[in-house]
Amino acid sequence: LKVYIEFFEYLGNYSLIVDTYKAFAEDSGIDDETLSYASLELGKLYYFSPYINSDIDNAQTLFKRAAEHGSEEAKYYLARIYLYERNDRPEALKVVEELHKAGNASGTYLLGKMAFNGWGVEKNEAYGIELIQLAAQQGSTHAFAQLGWHYMNGVGVEQNYEVAKEFLEKAVSSDGLEAKYAQFNLGWMHYNGLGVSKDYQKAMTWFKRSEARGFKDASSMLGKIYEEGGYGLNKDIELALNYYRESDKNWGDVSRLDTLIEKEKIEDG
């Protein structure tokens, strides 16, 4: 199965990838391990892939199936759906506590985030950070990305840009949800010169990687960089406008730049 998927990824044919996973995930005669794997990976595509349309209901069904066949990763994503998409904190807590007790790093991370914010449990920032740090020690890339954000902003920990950058760089190579946020935050550090030299080229590189994973805030920042120019990058108003359009929320900037471009056309005759 993995050989087929790798080949289809090389071709960039995500319709074939979806169809292949579906065929295996719906085959009642297949072994539990393959069924679980196919259901998990198809669920992840529906949940956060930028290459196909999001389908949370389908993702939830697939994660449940994979979890029933032994996938702890599927349980983690199921907990995320309960927490962020369904606003069902008691159900999310039940799943993450089960994962945490089993020594699962992703479950420990999410339990820490819930404790830090007081989501479904009593708010305890110190305990939340402690759990997230434990998850990072266990190798959770979710925890790496989260701690990078905390150290970058000085929230719950003493601000330390060097440590923030180290954690974010550990998270960016993941194929999970956390990568696009870590990439965005590295771009943010280079854009603002936080512990590094202010460099729009490097910021743009990270924002583009984040945008490629479907993070609209990265599109917005690319628009801002091209509108401003400087720090090694030429200003490009039309390109800025395109990125603002892709961000889905900067309609004030779209209107403003549309007007500016029309004015420039008139002035140029």
Side-chain angles (χ1 to χ4, degrees):
L1 172 57
K2 291 181 180 180
V3 172
Y4 289 116
I5 297 302
E6 287 174 1
F7 178 64
F8 296 149
E9 284 178 341
Y10 173 77
L11 295 177
N13 193 327
Y14 282 85
S15 294
L16 271 177
I17 292 173
V18 169
D19 289 343
T20 303
Y21 278 138
K22 273 185 180 178
F24 281 88
E26 295 170 0
D27 185 350
S28 58
I30 209 164
D31 64 275
D32 281 357
E33 184 179 350
T34 304
L35 178 62
S36 177
Y37 173 77
S39 299
L40 168 66
E41 295 302 318
L42 183 56
K44 285 159 69 174
L45 284 174
Y46 282 128
Y47 189 29
F48 59 80
S49 172
Y51 304 111
I52 67 172
N53 292 330
S54 176
D55 187 338
I56 300 300
D57 291 341
N58 217 344
Q60 182 173 340
T61 299
L62 288 159
F63 289 145
K64 277 185 178 179
R65 184 185 304 162
E68 287 166 359
H69 287 82
S71 172
E72 288 193 339
E73 186 179 357
K75 289 180 182 178
Y76 165 73
Y77 283 116
L78 195 55
R80 282 191 65 100
I81 287 179
Y82 288 139
L83 182 61
Y84 295 112
E85 314 298 338
R86 307 304 188 198
N87 196 30
D88 188 344
R89 292 175 177 177
E91 195 63 32
L93 182 62
K94 186 194 304 183
V95 178
V96 297
E97 284 186 330
E98 177 188 333
L99 288 170
H100 173 58
K101 288 174 183 176
N104 180 275
S106 295
T108 298
Y109 149 74
L110 197 52
L111 182 59
K113 192 162 185 182
M114 292 177 74
F116 186 88
N117 292 285
W119 294 339
V121 294
E122 184 178 350
K123 184 170 182 174
N124 188 327
E125 292 187 359
Y127 180 57
I129 291 293
E130 181 183 324
L131 286 173
I132 297 170
Q133 288 174 331
L134 174 59
Q137 290 168 13
Q138 295 172 326
S140 166
T141 52
H142 308 288
F144 293 153
Q146 188 67 38
L147 284 174
W149 179 87
H150 279 282
Y151 278 104
M152 182 179 75
N153 291 287
V155 177
V157 296
E158 185 176 346
Q159 192 171 55
N160 188 320
Y161 294 136
E162 184 178 351
V163 173
K165 186 169 178 285
E166 289 175 3
F167 275 122
L168 293 172
E169 287 175 344
K170 287 181 180 180
V172 292
S173 59
S174 161
D175 65 352
L177 271 168
E178 67 280 1
K180 64 183 180 183
Y181 302 120
Q183 290 162 349
F184 178 88
N185 284 327
L186 281 170
W188 185 257
M189 291 183 75
H190 284 288
Y191 174 80
N192 290 287
L194 305 178
V196 294
S197 299
K198 193 165 185 175
D199 188 326
Y200 279 10
Q201 288 284 2
K202 288 182 180 178
M204 185 176 65
T205 298
W206 286 116
F207 287 141
K208 281 186 174 180
R209 289 180 64 180
S210 178
E211 186 206 30
R213 289 176 178 262
F215 194 33
K216 297 296 185 181
D217 285 1
S219 303
S220 177
M221 287 306 302
L222 285 165
K224 190 171 179 62
I225 286 175
Y226 276 112
E227 182 184 359
E228 293 174 347
Y231 297 98
L233 189 74
N234 292 328
K235 182 186 292 189
D236 190 325
I237 297 300
E238 292 200 17
L239 197 51
L241 179 57
N242 289 337
Y243 278 118
Y244 281 141
R245 286 192 177 118
E246 289 176 18
S247 74
D248 287 344
K249 60 185 181 182
N250 287 69
W251 297 115
D253 293 308
V254 168
S255 177
R256 176 172 53 78
L257 292 189
D258 261 334
T259 302
L260 179 60
I261 289 172
E262 287 303 314
K263 182 181 177 182
E264 288 179 348
K265 285 179 180 177
I266 292 170
E267 289 175 351
D268 289 342

